[in-house]
Coordinates of all heavy atoms in Angstrom, one line a residue:
V156 N -2.8 19.0 -0.1 CA -1.6 19.7 0.2 C -1.3 20.9 -0.8 O -1.0 22.0 -0.4 CB -0.4 18.7 0.1 CG1 1.0 19.4 0.1 CG2 -0.5 17.7 1.3
F157 N -1.6 20.6 -2.1 CA -1.3 21.6 -3.1 C -2.3 22.8 -2.9 O -1.8 24.0 -2.9 CB -1.5 21.1 -4.5 CG -1.3 22.1 -5.6 CD1 -0.1 22.5 -6.0 CD2 -2.5 22.7 -6.1 CE1 0.0 23.5 -7.0 CE2 -2.3 23.6 -7.1 CZ -1.1 24.0 -7.5
F158 N -3.6 22.6 -2.8 CA -4.5 23.7 -2.8 C -4.4 24.5 -1.5 O -4.5 25.7 -1.5 CB -5.9 23.2 -3.0 CG -6.2 22.8 -4.4 CD1 -6.6 21.5 -4.8 CD2 -6.1 23.8 -5.4 CE1 -6.8 21.2 -6.1 CE2 -6.3 23.4 -6.8 CZ -6.7 22.1 -7.1
F159 N -4.2 23.8 -0.4 CA -4.0 24.6 0.9 C -2.7 25.3 0.9 O -2.7 26.5 1.3 CB -4.0 23.6 2.1 CG -5.4 23.4 2.6 CD1 -6.3 22.4 2.0 CD2 -5.9 24.1 3.7 CE1 -7.6 22.2 2.5 CE2 -7.2 23.9 4.2 CZ -8.0 22.9 3.6
G160 N -1.7 24.8 0.3 CA -0.4 25.5 0.2 C -0.5 26.7 -0.7 O 0.0 27.8 -0.4
L161 N -1.2 26.5 -1.9 CA -1.4 27.6 -2.8 C -2.3 28.7 -2.2 O -2.0 29.9 -2.3 CB -2.0 27.1 -4.1 CG -2.2 28.1 -5.2 CD1 -0.9 28.7 -5.7 CD2 -2.9 27.5 -6.4
G162 N -3.4 28.3 -1.6 CA -4.4 29.3 -1.1 C -3.8 30.1 0.0 O -3.9 31.3 0.1
Y163 N -3.2 29.4 1.0 CA -2.7 30.1 2.2 C -1.3 30.7 2.0 O -0.9 31.6 2.7 CB -2.8 29.2 3.4 CG -4.2 29.1 3.9 CD1 -5.0 27.9 3.6 CD2 -4.8 30.1 4.6 CE1 -6.3 27.8 4.0 CE2 -6.1 29.9 5.1 CZ -6.9 28.8 4.7 OH -8.2 28.7 5.1
G164 N -0.5 30.1 1.1 CA 0.8 30.6 0.8 C 0.8 31.8 0.0 O 1.8 32.6 0.0
A165 N -0.3 32.0 -0.7 CA -0.4 33.2 -1.6 C -0.3 34.5 -0.8 O 0.1 35.5 -1.4 CB -1.7 33.2 -2.4
R166 N -0.7 34.5 0.5 CA -0.7 35.7 1.2 C 0.7 36.3 1.4 O 0.9 37.5 1.8 CB -1.4 35.5 2.6 CG -0.6 34.6 3.5 CD -1.3 34.4 4.8 NE -2.7 33.9 4.6 CZ -3.6 33.8 5.6 NH1 -3.3 34.2 6.8 NH2 -4.8 33.4 5.4
L167 N 1.7 35.5 1.2 CA 3.1 36.0 1.2 C 3.3 37.0 0.2 O 4.3 37.8 0.3 CB 4.1 34.8 1.1 CG 4.0 33.7 2.2 CD1 5.0 32.6 1.9 CD2 4.4 34.3 3.5
L168 N 2.5 37.0 -0.9 CA 2.6 38.0 -2.0 C 1.8 39.2 -1.7 O 1.8 40.1 -2.5 CB 2.1 37.3 -3.3 CG 2.9 36.1 -3.8 CD1 2.2 35.5 -5.0 CD2 4.3 36.5 -4.1
A169 N 1.2 39.3 -0.5 CA 0.3 40.4 -0.2 C 1.0 41.8 -0.3 O 0.4 42.7 -0.9 CB -0.3 40.2 1.2
P170 N 2.2 42.0 0.2 CA 2.8 43.3 0.0 C 3.0 43.8 -1.4 O 2.8 44.9 -1.8 CB 4.2 43.1 0.7 CG 4.0 42.0 1.6 CD 3.0 41.1 1.0
F171 N 3.3 42.8 -2.3 CA 3.4 43.1 -3.7 C 2.1 43.6 -4.3 O 2.1 44.5 -5.2 CB 4.0 41.9 -4.5 CG 4.1 42.1 -5.9 CD1 5.1 42.9 -6.5 CD2 3.2 41.5 -6.8 CE1 5.2 43.1 -7.8 CE2 3.3 41.6 -8.2 CZ 4.3 42.4 -8.7
F172 N 1.0 42.9 -3.9 CA -0.3 43.2 -4.5 C -1.0 44.4 -3.7 O -2.2 44.5 -3.9 CB -1.2 42.0 -4.5 CG -0.8 41.0 -5.6 CD1 0.1 40.0 -5.4 CD2 -1.2 41.3 -6.9 CE1 0.5 39.1 -6.4 CE2 -0.8 40.4 -7.9 CZ 0.0 39.4 -7.7
A173 N -0.3 45.1 -2.9 CA -0.8 46.3 -2.3 C -0.8 47.4 -3.4 O -1.3 48.5 -3.1 CB 0.0 46.7 -1.1
R174 N -0.2 47.2 -4.5 CA -0.1 48.2 -5.6 C -1.1 47.8 -6.7 O -1.2 46.7 -7.2 CB 1.3 48.2 -6.2 CG 2.4 48.7 -5.2 CD 3.8 48.5 -5.8 NE 4.2 47.1 -5.9 CZ 5.3 46.7 -6.3 NH1 6.2 47.6 -6.7 NH2 5.6 45.4 -6.4
P175 N -1.9 48.8 -7.2 CA -2.9 48.6 -8.2 C -2.3 47.9 -9.5 O -3.0 47.1 -10.1 CB -3.5 50.0 -8.5 CG -3.2 50.7 -7.3 CD -1.9 50.2 -6.7
N176 N -1.1 48.4 -9.9 CA -0.6 47.8 -11.2 C -0.3 46.3 -11.1 O -0.3 45.6 -12.1 CB 0.7 48.6 -11.5 CG 0.4 49.9 -12.1 OD1 -0.7 50.2 -12.6 ND2 1.4 50.8 -12.1
A177 N 0.0 45.8 -9.9 CA 0.2 44.4 -9.7 C -1.1 43.6 -9.9 O -1.0 42.6 -10.5 CB 0.8 44.2 -8.3
W178 N -2.2 44.2 -9.5 CA -3.5 43.6 -9.7 C -3.8 43.6 -11.2 O -4.4 42.6 -11.7 CB -4.6 44.3 -9.0 CG -4.6 43.9 -7.5 CD1 -4.2 44.6 -6.5 CD2 -5.1 42.6 -7.0 NE1 -4.4 43.8 -5.3 CE2 -5.0 42.6 -5.6 CE3 -5.7 41.5 -7.6 CZ2 -5.3 41.6 -4.8 CZ3 -6.1 40.4 -6.8 CH2 -5.9 40.5 -5.5
R179 N -3.5 44.6 -11.9 CA -3.7 44.7 -13.4 C -2.9 43.5 -14.0 O -3.4 42.8 -14.9 CB -3.2 46.0 -14.0 CG -4.1 47.2 -13.7 CD -3.5 48.4 -14.3 NE -4.3 49.6 -14.1 CZ -5.3 50.0 -14.8 NH1 -5.6 49.4 -15.9 NH2 -6.0 51.1 -14.5
A180 N -1.7 43.4 -13.6 CA -0.8 42.3 -14.2 C -1.4 40.9 -13.9 O -1.4 40.0 -14.8 CB 0.6 42.4 -13.7
L181 N -1.9 40.7 -12.6 CA -2.4 39.4 -12.3 C -3.7 39.1 -13.1 O -3.9 38.0 -13.6 CB -2.8 39.4 -10.8 CG -3.4 38.1 -10.3 CD1 -2.5 36.9 -10.4 CD2 -3.9 38.2 -8.8
D182 N -4.6 40.2 -13.2 CA -5.8 39.9 -14.0 C -5.5 39.7 -15.4 O -6.2 38.8 -16.1 CB -6.7 41.2 -13.8 CG -7.4 41.2 -12.4 OD1 -7.8 40.1 -11.9 OD2 -7.6 42.3 -11.9
L183 N -4.5 40.4 -16.0 CA -4.2 40.1 -17.4 C -3.6 38.7 -17.5 O -4.0 38.0 -18.5 CB -3.1 41.1 -17.8 CG -3.5 42.5 -18.2 CD1 -2.3 43.4 -18.4 CD2 -4.4 42.5 -19.4
G184 N -2.8 38.2 -16.5 CA -2.3 36.9 -16.6 C -3.4 35.8 -16.5 O -3.4 34.8 -17.2
V185 N -4.4 36.1 -15.5 CA -5.5 35.2 -15.4 C -6.3 35.1 -16.6 O -6.7 34.0 -17.1 CB -6.4 35.6 -14.2 CG1 -7.7 34.8 -14.1 CG2 -5.6 35.4 -12.9
G186 N -6.6 36.2 -17.2 CA -7.4 36.2 -18.5 C -6.6 35.5 -19.6 O -7.3 34.8 -20.4
A187 N -5.3 35.7 -19.7 CA -4.5 35.0 -20.7 C -4.6 33.5 -20.5 O -4.7 32.7 -21.5 CB -3.1 35.5 -20.7
V188 N -4.5 33.1 -19.3 CA -4.5 31.7 -19.0 C -5.9 31.1 -19.4 O -5.9 30.0 -20.0 CB -4.2 31.4 -17.5 CG1 -4.6 30.0 -17.1 CG2 -2.8 31.7 -17.2
M189 N -6.9 31.8 -19.0 CA -8.3 31.3 -19.3 C -8.5 31.1 -20.8 O -9.0 30.1 -21.3 CB -9.3 32.3 -18.8 CG -9.3 32.6 -17.3 SD -9.7 31.1 -16.3 CE -9.6 31.8 -14.7
W190 N -8.0 32.1 -21.6 CA -8.2 32.1 -23.0 C -7.3 31.1 -23.7 O -7.7 30.4 -24.6 CB -8.0 33.5 -23.6 CG -9.2 34.4 -23.5 CD1 -10.2 34.2 -22.7 CD2 -9.4 35.6 -24.3 NE1 -11.2 35.2 -22.9 CE2 -10.7 36.1 -23.9 CE3 -8.7 36.3 -25.2 CZ2 -11.2 37.2 -24.4 CZ3 -9.3 37.4 -25.8 CH2 -10.5 37.9 -25.4
A191 N -6.1 30.9 -23.1 CA -5.2 29.9 -23.7 C -5.7 28.5 -23.5 O -5.7 27.7 -24.5 CB -3.8 30.0 -23.0
I192 N -6.3 28.2 -22.4 CA -6.9 26.9 -22.2 C -8.1 26.7 -23.0 O -8.3 25.7 -23.6 CB -7.3 26.7 -20.7 CG1 -6.0 26.8 -19.8 CG2 -8.0 25.4 -20.4 CD1 -6.3 26.8 -18.3
A193 N -9.0 27.8 -23.2 CA -10.1 27.7 -24.0 C -9.7 27.4 -25.5 O -10.4 26.6 -26.2 CB -11.0 29.0 -23.9
I194 N -8.7 28.1 -26.0 CA -8.3 27.9 -27.3 C -7.7 26.5 -27.5 O -8.0 25.8 -28.5 CB -7.2 29.0 -27.7 CG1 -7.8 30.3 -27.8 CG2 -6.5 28.6 -29.0 CD1 -6.8 31.5 -27.9
A195 N -7.0 26.0 -26.5 CA -6.4 24.6 -26.6 C -7.6 23.6 -26.6 O -7.5 22.6 -27.4 CB -5.5 24.4 -25.4

Side-chain angles (χ1 to χ4, degrees):
V156 169
F157 176 80
F158 286 119
F159 271 82
L161 181 63
Y163 286 100
R166 67 180 56 187
L167 298 175
L168 299 173
F171 178 73
F172 284 97
R174 296 173 289 181
N176 284 339
W178 279 105
R179 286 181 182 270
L181 178 64
D182 285 324
L183 282 172
V185 169
V188 167
M189 303 292 181
W190 278 17
I192 297 173
I194 292 170

